[in-house]
Amino acid sequence: MPLPDQTLLQETLATAIEDFGVPGATLLLWNGTGFAEASAGVCNIDTKVPVTPDTLFQIGSITKLYTAALCLQLVEEGKLKLDAPVRETLPDFALGDEDTAARVTLRHLLNHTSGLDGDFFKDAGRGEDRIEKYVGLLKDVRQIHPLDHMFSYCNAGFVVAGRMVEIASGMGWDKAVRTRLAKPLGTPSFSTLPEQAMRYQTAIGHLGVPGSLIVTPIAYLAQSNAPAGSMPMARARDVLAFARMMMNDGKTPDGTPILSPESVAAMHGFTAACPAGMNIDAIGLASFMWDWDGDGTYETFGHDGSTIGQAAWLRYHPASGAAFVLLTNGGNGKGMADKLMAEYFPALGHIAPPPMPQADPTLDYAANPLLGRYGKASGTIDISQKDGKLIAHHAPSAEFAALQGIYDVELSPAAPGLFVGVPPGYTRPVTYHFLEEDRFGRARYLHYGVRAHPRIDE
């Protein structure tokens, strides 16, 4: 599994940054025995400080793998249980739905099947009690689907899991990450707080579409959401260190145990399926899972991460030892990630990501059952018909206005119940799954952006 020539890799990344309007990025490729790494572009389009391999980027929801690993460590120690009610650890835990609050487990939180509206991003402050305060704010948050009914990405659930880590470990989540993961992994630059990241060169996020980007006026999302990924910053090599541990039965290269092989298997074990054709095939415990070779088993793992103007990707293939890490700070990072992953992963792991579903203009569909408004805490999606085409109108809630604007996407059928469309300024198609039927024969859920949006126009 040869690594690409370093000069060529650098040139390829620089070209991709220009093609996809990304201000700056670091790309790291691991072939099981060594790595090639390239950095290009700038940390900030105003200061024009160049990105280097030591630049920290916000890794977003890749953090969820770290929070899950902390939980599994504490399960190994008998201090947490995957299938016990959350209230066994947090007696005062409350949600808008009392039945769910009484029955939801740590496993439901880690595999995104709690049904809790996970995009509740109220800021609970910056103190050491910020995670505890955030969990207390969930008492009025509603369900978007019944407990264990389906997969729907849930940030809030991981903040609850982070609070369980605090109670079970006797230390704050930040300290638990540093002492239980970052230090033994040999990644001291992994930072969960701004004052830690200030020791290093850091990238800032950029908002807007390629060609008209601005430096984000908000450097971080709410610190109280850190266990879900709002704060941590890392180098690509730091993320690789975590992936290598997961591919080595939970041990670092020098044999330091981080997780037991059983815990690694639990994180990599199937717990929930995603709608067919989505950009994730299945979920383990926090881990995204893919069956790239179509043999019915999940052989590729990882996670994506998005914060305010930054995005990150991790993929690793234990059978070959290959790994791919890409960290970016704005622009069409998704398109760039697709291109680079398709270009380099086959040579590293002898396996390739399949293409996204394509529009099928010959496919007939009934529009009326799909029309209407779907929504959750992050905003609404209105499906309408114009000139025979389905249009998805996205409007963010007030809390999400800084993360996304108002925009329309034209949808085309790709399979029964599945449509694809390309958001403005991007090249990668996204999927829209219309799921189930209500009593009127209309779609009950629109699954978009790895989240279930229930119909709200009844």
Side-chain angles (χ1 to χ4, degrees), residues 40-368:
V42 296
C43 300
N44 179 316
I45 60 174
D46 291 340
T47 65
K48 295 181 172 54
V49 173
V51 173
T52 75
D54 291 319
T55 300
L56 305 189
F57 288 79
Q58 293 180 26
I59 63 168
S61 288
I62 292 175
T63 303
K64 291 181 173 69
L65 298 177
Y66 290 74
T67 296
L70 291 174
C71 290
L72 269 294
Q73 287 178 339
L74 293 162
V75 169
E76 292 174 19
E77 296 168 16
K79 296 176 181 178
L80 288 177
K81 300 175 184 176
L82 280 172
D83 295 308
V86 168
R87 281 183 176 168
E88 189 171 295
T89 303
L90 306 178
D92 297 327
F93 181 61
L95 299 172
D97 182 78
E98 168 58 23
D99 179 66
T100 298
R103 295 193 297 120
V104 67
T105 67
L106 179 58
R107 188 184 300 274
H108 291 127
L109 303 179
L110 297 183
N111 71 4
H112 302 279
T113 60
S114 69
L116 179 66
D117 194 332
D119 290 326
F120 178 78
F121 274 110
K122 294 292 184 183
D123 192 338
R126 301 190 177 200
E128 291 189 359
D129 60 351
R130 70 194 191 280
I131 294 170
E132 177 184 9
K133 286 183 175 179
Y134 174 90
V135 173
L137 296 175
L138 296 176
K139 59 183 175 58
D140 297 321
V141 175
R142 70 188 183 103
Q143 295 292 111
I144 56 173
H145 64 73
L147 179 66
D148 211 22
H149 183 63
M150 66 169 66
F151 158 77
S152 182
Y153 197 75
C154 183
N155 285 294
F158 275 78
V159 186
V160 177
R163 178 58 182 157
M164 295 174 71
V165 166
E166 293 186 326
I167 294 295
S169 69
M171 62 181 74
W173 178 84
D174 301 275
K175 186 175 181 180
V177 172
R178 289 196 303 272
T179 59
R180 287 174 163 264
L181 293 176
K183 185 176 180 179
L185 282 169
T187 58
S189 55
F190 187 98
S191 302
T192 64
L193 294 166
E195 54 265 36
Q196 296 168 357
M198 286 173 64
R199 299 172 296 164
Y200 304 92
Q201 179 176 287
T202 61
I204 190 71
H206 297 81
L207 302 178
V209 298
S212 59
L213 295 174
I214 62 168
V215 173
T216 173
I218 304 170
Y220 297 94
L221 296 170
Q223 290 191 15
S224 49
N225 287 64
S230 64
M231 296 295 298
M233 302 191 74
R235 306 172 303 170
R237 275 168 279 168
D238 298 337
V239 178
L240 174 65
F242 185 94
R244 289 184 65 188
M245 177 273 294
M246 293 293 288
M247 291 191 288
N248 191 36
D249 283 336
K251 298 187 297 293
T252 64
D254 67 3
T256 301
I258 305 295
L259 290 173
S260 70
E262 292 76 18
S263 291
V264 172
M267 288 184 66
H268 288 167
F270 173 88
T271 68
C274 300
M278 207 174 78
N279 63 322
I280 310 166
D281 292 338
I283 299 294
L285 295 181
S287 300
F288 290 175
M289 303 163 55
W290 293 270
D291 175 17
W292 280 357
D293 59 11
D295 68 353
T297 61
Y298 303 104
E299 74 293 309
T300 308
F301 306 91
H303 214 288
D304 298 349
S306 295
T307 61
I308 186 159
Q310 301 198 46
W313 290 265
L314 167 65
R315 301 288 184 271
Y316 59 94
H317 181 240
S320 65
F324 172 102
V325 182
L326 177 67
L327 310 179
T328 67
N329 62 345
N332 184 9
K334 291 183 178 180
M336 187 168 82
D338 281 351
K339 177 182 185 298
L340 295 174
M341 209 177 301
E343 182 170 351
Y344 288 115
F345 216 105
L348 295 173
H350 301 295
I351 192 168
M356 290 288 291
Q358 300 297 309
D360 180 358
T362 67
L363 191 64
D364 290 329
Y365 65 93
N368 285 340

